Amino acid sequence: MKKNLLFTPGPTPIPPEALLAMAQPIDYHRSNATAALIKDVLEKLKHVFQTENDVLFLTSSGTGAMEGAVSNLLSRGEKAIVIRSGKFGERWGEICATYGIEVIPIDVTWGNSVEPDIVASALAEHTDVKAVFATLCETSTGVLHDIEALARLTRIRPTLLVVDAVSALGADDLQMDNWGVDVVVSCSQKGLMTPPGLAFAAVNQRAWDAVERSDLPKYYLDFRKAYESGLEGSVPYTPAVTLLTALQQALNRICAEGIQHTIDRHNRLALATRSAIKALGLPLFAASPANTLTSIRLPEGIDGKALINLMRDTYGITYAGGQSQLSGKIVRIAHLGWMNENDVIVAISAFERGLVEIGHAIPLGAGVSAAQEIFTQ
């Protein structure tokens, strides 16, 4: 019997109480019960974002929140620095270009983190830049960026720091208020353990001031409409009520664990996974790896696509492959959301078996043993 297991950086496994919530009869989205649900979800999201600022939700994927951040914060002809270290950093640039924003790119070799000094130099050269767009975890490579260091650069300037925490929220630390990050966007199907379809934006006062000045077109993704409706436990347009009921249950789990404990758990899972991969003699791809996922550089001669297909089709184990120029060259194993130590052991043991079956000799059990060493410390 094949049992399907997800080890991808989205969608991630969903806790049973969230699944059961979605099985309940749907309620009217303008009812008092739904208004209470929306208010509760928005309040609990503040704990996850580590903020007292306003949190908005949109019925969209995470890209909807990214696009909303651009269209609500900037105005025609303005400039933005975009840190491009993978597919999702590139997406910030593509969205900005769509809205006529002049993009000043900082291109980083895939697998590396941006050097804050390079961002500081760009800010010094382009003093009229309105925003810096960054990612917390570049999901396509597994690399973590030093958002705290970037915030130290922007909070002393009239320049906003906007962070894509789509994959890493709840897994890697992002202290929005303590660090002085202006906008953080995320979504439901990663660390928040809910199906795809909800996006979120946490917005501080500096960012709201920019929203008031923005003259870019917006309708469905209008942050002001979302905020004003949220105060009443409502939304401007029809929400995904069923997903909100699931999200409430997932947030209950995170809040009960506590956000710092949640982040610590992810760190422990990540350390064990990285230790296992090194014990198998394989190099990590990310120079500064995130808690969200572990990216593994495959040896020459191994077809990463074939390995992933084998594991999914034969054994029901789904890892993520590489994107763009990394296609077939890396494997990404997520330890994100509703995951514990036993899940990591399963992911590593299955990976060992797949490597052997595809023809790469490794010491079977070495990865599992290394992970267990971390867990027993």
Side-chain angles (χ1 to χ4, degrees):
M1 180 182 69
K2 183 171 71 173
K3 182 178 181 180
N4 294 321
L5 297 171
L6 272 179
F7 296 103
T8 59
T12 61
I14 301 169
E17 64 269 28
L19 291 170
L20 289 172
M22 291 189 290
Q24 299 302 309
I26 193 168
D27 198 1
Y28 178 48
H29 63 281
R30 303 298 182 196
S31 70
N32 290 336
T34 300
L37 168 67
I38 290 171
K39 288 182 178 180
D40 185 58
V41 164
L42 292 177
E43 191 61 33
K44 287 185 167 74
L45 282 169
K46 291 183 179 181
H47 177 70
V48 181
F49 279 88
Q50 300 187 65
T51 187
E52 294 300 321
N53 291 305
D54 303 310
V55 180
L56 321 172
F57 87 84
L58 306 165
T59 303
S60 75
S61 69
T63 303
M66 293 175 72
E67 179 167 342
V70 173
S71 65
N72 281 272
L73 295 171
L74 300 178
S75 294
R76 291 177 176 86
E78 289 185 336
K79 298 178 182 178
I81 290 173
V82 175
I83 298 168
R84 305 191 301 194
S85 62
K87 290 296 292 183
F88 298 99
E90 291 176 355
R91 184 167 297 180
W92 274 131
E94 292 163 358
I95 296 170
C96 285
T98 298
Y99 282 89
I101 301 302
E102 182 180 343
V103 173
I104 299 165
I106 295 178
D107 289 320
V108 182
T109 301
W110 285 33
N112 292 340
S113 302
V114 68
E115 293 290 341
D117 287 349
I118 295 175
V119 180
S121 296
L123 287 167
E125 181 180 353
H126 303 280
T127 56
D128 55 346
V129 159
K130 298 299 182 181
V132 173
F133 290 94
T135 56
L136 177 56
C137 168
E138 175 50 68
T139 322
S140 61
T141 66
V143 76
L144 185 71
H145 290 288
D146 190 347
I147 299 301
E148 184 178 10
L150 299 183
R152 284 196 293 268
L153 300 174
T154 56
R155 70 190 184 206
I156 60 173
R157 294 175 167 87
T159 306
L160 301 175
L161 177 59
V162 186
V163 177
D164 161 9
V166 165
S167 66
L169 187 71
D172 287 284
D173 200 17
L174 200 170
Q175 300 178 31
M176 180 178 182
D177 289 1
N178 289 342
W179 295 352
V181 180
D182 298 293
V183 178
V184 179
V185 299
S186 194
C187 67
S188 54
Q189 77 271 19
K190 313 274 188 175
L192 298 190
M193 306 176 289
T194 305
L198 297 174
F200 317 105
V203 184
N204 74 5
Q205 188 55 55
R206 290 208 321 162
W208 278 123
D209 292 342
V211 169
E212 292 303 317
R213 296 190 299 268
S214 171
D215 64 5
L216 291 177
K218 48 200 149 277
Y219 184 79
Y220 184 74
L221 301 176
D222 191 322
F223 281 7
R224 284 171 294 190
K225 290 179 182 178
Y227 168 70
E228 291 164 2
S229 296
L231 292 175
E232 304 299 324
S234 186
V235 289
Y237 315 106
T238 306
V241 178
T242 303
L243 296 183
L244 285 170
T245 62
L247 177 62
Q248 184 183 47
Q249 295 302 317
L251 289 172
N252 286 344
R253 181 179 282 263
I254 294 173
C255 291
E257 185 177 28
I259 186 60
Q260 192 54 58
H261 290 295
T262 302
I263 292 167
D264 291 344
R265 170 170 54 83
H266 282 88
N267 179 250
R268 187 172 173 83
L269 301 181
L271 287 174
T273 305
R274 295 197 291 265
S275 180
I277 296 307
K278 292 175 183 177
L280 295 175
L282 299 177
L284 302 177
F285 182 74
S288 300
N291 292 339
T292 306
L293 72 153
T294 296
S295 54
I296 305 152
R297 188 190 298 273
L298 295 174
E300 291 292 331
I302 292 185
D303 183 346
K305 292 181 180 179
L307 174 60
I308 287 172
N309 289 338
L310 166 71
M311 298 310 298
R312 181 176 178 84
D313 297 340
T314 303
Y315 299 113
I317 302 289
T318 302
Y319 309 120
Q323 296 177 284
S324 192
Q325 68 262 34
L326 296 180
S327 179
K329 297 179 181 178
I330 68 170
V331 169
R332 296 175 293 150
I333 300 178
H335 18 76
L336 176 62
W338 189 45
M339 292 275 182
N340 62 20
E341 296 175 1
N342 293 332
D343 294 309
V344 166
I345 297 301
V346 170
I348 296 303
S349 63
F351 186 63
E352 291 182 358
R353 182 175 181 178
L355 287 172
V356 170
E357 188 158 336
I358 209 164
H360 183 69
I362 55 162
L364 273 174
V368 170
S369 179
Q372 295 280 34
E373 288 289 334
I374 297 294
F375 291 147
T376 56
Q377 290 174 7

